Amino acid sequence: MKKLITVLGIAFCLTSFAQVVNYKKLNLPTVDAAGIVYNAKSEKIGSVDESGIIKNADGEKIASIDAFGTVTVDESGKKVVKCNKDGNLYAIQISKTSFKGWDAISPEPGVEICLLKDKKGKLVAGVHKHYRQFGGAAIYLLIKKQ
């Protein structure tokens, strides 16, 4: 009986520490299940679709992502960043002060959000798993344009 109480006590302690993360409270830019992109203040700043079209908050197409993961801004034709199928984001040109890329973390079972970290390990964004490939690129571009 004493062992049972000890085991139950340990299980209770562990479950109290293993809380579900509420990603809305992280105050990070996010892409939701509908492809809507929000900034850290939860304001809509644009959208991305499954074909890689990035639109601003007014619904105007501002960039597209090709089959190789290269994000091209429509107005200038400039290639900004590259993304891969895992959601990692890479800089095309690297300098000391420029963007060096983000790494995507696969979601835990039952969690639908992929977290993105910069090269220093700091959380920078959250992307719904359906938009994992293009979500980070959309966040980067839309935040940069603000």
Side-chain angles (χ1 to χ4, degrees):
M1 185 65 154
K2 190 174 182 179
K3 287 182 182 180
L4 178 64
I5 292 173
T6 304
V7 170
L8 289 175
I10 291 171
F12 176 74
C13 289
L14 291 177
T15 56
S16 65
F17 288 117
Q19 305 251 339
V20 176
V21 177
N22 184 346
Y23 293 99
K24 290 185 178 184
K25 291 187 178 181
L26 289 176
N27 296 326
L28 297 173
T30 57
V31 177
D32 68 8
I36 307 299
V37 181
Y38 298 94
N39 64 12
K41 298 176 184 174
S42 297
E43 300 167 336
K44 180 182 174 182
I45 58 172
S47 65
V48 61
D49 66 18
E50 292 176 357
S51 63
I53 304 298
I54 301 171
K55 297 179 180 177
N56 63 15
D58 297 328
E60 301 166 342
K61 181 180 169 191
I62 60 167
S64 59
I65 304 170
D66 65 18
F68 302 105
T70 305
V71 179
T72 305
V73 178
D74 286 345
E75 59 194 34
S76 66
K78 182 178 179 183
K79 296 179 183 336
V80 184
V81 293
K82 287 188 71 87
C83 56
N84 66 11
K85 65 179 177 61
D86 295 325
N88 299 317
L89 210 56
Y90 305 99
I92 291 179
Q93 296 178 349
I94 297 177
S95 67
K96 282 186 176 181
T97 59
S98 73
F99 173 75
K100 294 176 177 52
W102 293 342
D103 295 325
I105 301 169
S106 297
E108 297 292 324
V111 178
E112 298 195 351
I113 299 290
C114 300
L115 296 176
L116 295 165
K117 290 186 175 187
D118 64 9
K119 296 301 179 185
K120 295 179 183 177
K122 179 183 172 192
L123 286 177
V124 292
V127 178
H128 192 274
K129 66 182 180 181
H130 294 302
Y131 294 95
R132 180 178 181 176
Q133 183 176 0
F134 303 135
I139 288 172
Y140 172 76
L141 185 65
L142 290 166
I143 293 290
K144 186 177 174 184
K145 288 207 172 267
Q146 274 194 323

